[in-house]
Amino acid sequence: MRFKRVAAVAAAATLALGLAACGGDSDEGTGSGSSAKGIVGKAQNQKKLVIGVKADQPGLGLQTGSQYEGFDVEIAKIIAKGLGVDANNIEWKTTVSANREPFIEQGTVDLVVATYTINDERKQKVNFAGPYYIAGQDLLVKADSTLTGPEALEGKKVCSVQGSTPAKRIESDYPKAQLQQFDAYSKCLPLLEQGKVDAVTTDDIILAGYAAQDQFAGKFKVVGNPFSSEPYGIGLKKDDKDGCEKVNDILKAAASDGSYKAAWDATLGKSGTPAPELDTTKLTNCGSV
Ligand code: GLU
């Protein structure tokens, strides 16, 4: 670990020197100055990155004006910094659950850091570094609801998002629930408030952020009975194995130098929940499925 961190620092220094002599401005590192491809090449040559994040998930990825904030945003900044790109040179792009793979495949974004569960189906299309956090699917209900878990959803109206793993799980494992799908979870909240749906389902950490929002204070509760494992990855082009390995190296460094904990403490940790351990033995091998 220590060796790798030293190597990373040395690499960053080399990068800085190399950049002084180059003004490449082409995609994916094909310009002058570096023969590296993928995100490593783009970061070296252009000194900027386009990163997809969520815009409506408090504590994780929340847009206010032109600013984005949250744990995912901080993780994205750590990755960009490790690649030699200043936070000011990140172009943030709002993603919703369903457009993450297409945005990566089409090059609309270089990276996605957006509560993005690593799974085999998605690995057919994109590569994943991470995981940097493990969430679990849960239910958000009205504070006085007696719903206790997904088994109780039969005949009930549940709201979720197209292209998300929670919506797919309801369809496959709880087909008797009446699923309504939108493009973003925040659209489910007024429906829950008005009693037009019985529950909202997605990852517990996302739901907790909504429950804690001022405008919903005291109105909702997270059931607290997670029924899946959602390992959050950093998505990038399927063939960018080097970029993926580099991102995993950056995560390893962030686990040991305190920047992962600082990212948590500045965002989700404000509620008092201590930072989780980033288990670097579980990082992906960056291969395809
Ligand atoms: N982590 C799940 C997923 O990637 C749910 C959260 C989301 O839709 O962003 O589908």
Side-chain angles (χ1 to χ4, degrees):
M1 180 74 76
R2 179 144 199 93
F3 171 77
K4 282 197 173 149
R5 282 173 58 200
V6 171
V9 171
T14 313
L15 197 88
L17 286 172
L19 274 159
C22 95
D25 193 32
S26 60
D27 271 351
E28 306 229 329
T30 48
S32 58
S34 169
S35 58
K37 294 201 164 41
I39 53 161
V40 174
K42 174 157 182 193
Q44 285 179 0
N45 289 329
Q46 299 190 26
K47 282 299 219 179
K48 61 185 184 192
L49 288 167
V50 183
I51 304 185
V53 290
K54 292 291 181 81
D56 68 335
Q57 296 181 178
L60 288 151
L62 186 68
Q63 184 181 13
T64 316
S66 60
Q67 302 290 320
Y68 289 80
E69 61 179 34
F71 184 57
D72 280 345
V73 173
E74 293 307 312
I75 293 290
K77 287 181 193 165
I78 289 172
I79 305 302
K81 189 173 174 197
L83 289 164
V85 174
D86 190 82
N88 295 325
N89 293 328
I90 299 170
E91 184 189 328
W92 301 106
K93 194 142 256 170
T94 297
T95 60
V96 292
S97 301
N99 66 17
R100 291 174 294 195
E101 290 92 270
F103 270 18
I104 293 168
E105 288 177 299
Q106 292 156 15
T108 310
V109 296
D110 298 306
L111 294 164
V112 165
V113 191
T115 60
Y116 197 10
T117 295
I118 302 170
N119 66 28
D120 286 350
E121 192 185 335
R122 291 173 177 166
K123 279 197 216 160
Q124 307 287 340
K125 296 180 176 169
V126 301
N127 212 329
F128 283 106
Y132 59 92
Y133 183 77
I134 316 279
Q137 183 172 355
D138 210 326
L139 303 173
L140 184 75
V141 295
K142 278 205 168 164
D144 59 359
S145 167
T146 53
L147 266 176
T148 49
E151 298 76 20
L153 288 175
E154 194 172 323
K156 297 269 194 285
K157 295 192 182 92
V158 56
C159 191
S160 197
V161 159
Q162 288 131 3
S164 72
T165 52
K168 287 209 172 125
R169 190 166 294 104
I170 295 295
E171 282 174 330
S172 61
D173 297 2
Y174 306 97
K176 293 195 172 136
Q178 294 172 28
L179 179 65
Q180 297 182 15
Q181 299 186 66
F182 292 88
D183 62 346
Y185 299 106
S186 50
K187 299 203 175 140
C188 293
L189 302 175
L191 299 180
L192 183 62
E193 198 177 14
Q194 293 156 24
K196 291 186 178 154
V197 298
D198 301 290
V200 179
T201 190
T202 185
D203 304 334
D204 45 8
I205 193 77
I206 301 173
L207 297 174
Y210 292 133
Q213 273 186 307
D214 282 349
Q215 74 255 45
F216 301 123
K219 291 188 176 166
F220 303 149
K221 67 180 177 195
V222 181
V223 165
N225 178 13
F227 50 100
S228 76
S229 173
E230 308 287 333
Y232 286 178
I234 291 149
L236 70 171
K237 280 228 165 97
K238 184 170 157 70
D239 61 2
D240 193 2
K241 192 173 195 303
D242 290 350
C244 176
E245 284 168 353
K246 176 72 183 166
V247 173
N248 277 341
D249 283 345
I250 294 166
L251 287 176
K252 276 187 207 157
S256 59
D257 70 11
S259 51
Y260 176 82
K261 183 178 180 300
W264 177 273
D265 290 346
T267 56
L268 294 166
K270 280 187 181 163
S271 64
T273 313
E277 276 303 307
L278 200 176
D279 185 352
T280 56
T281 66
K282 301 259 160 62
L283 294 173
T284 58
N285 65 14
C286 295
S288 45
V289 192

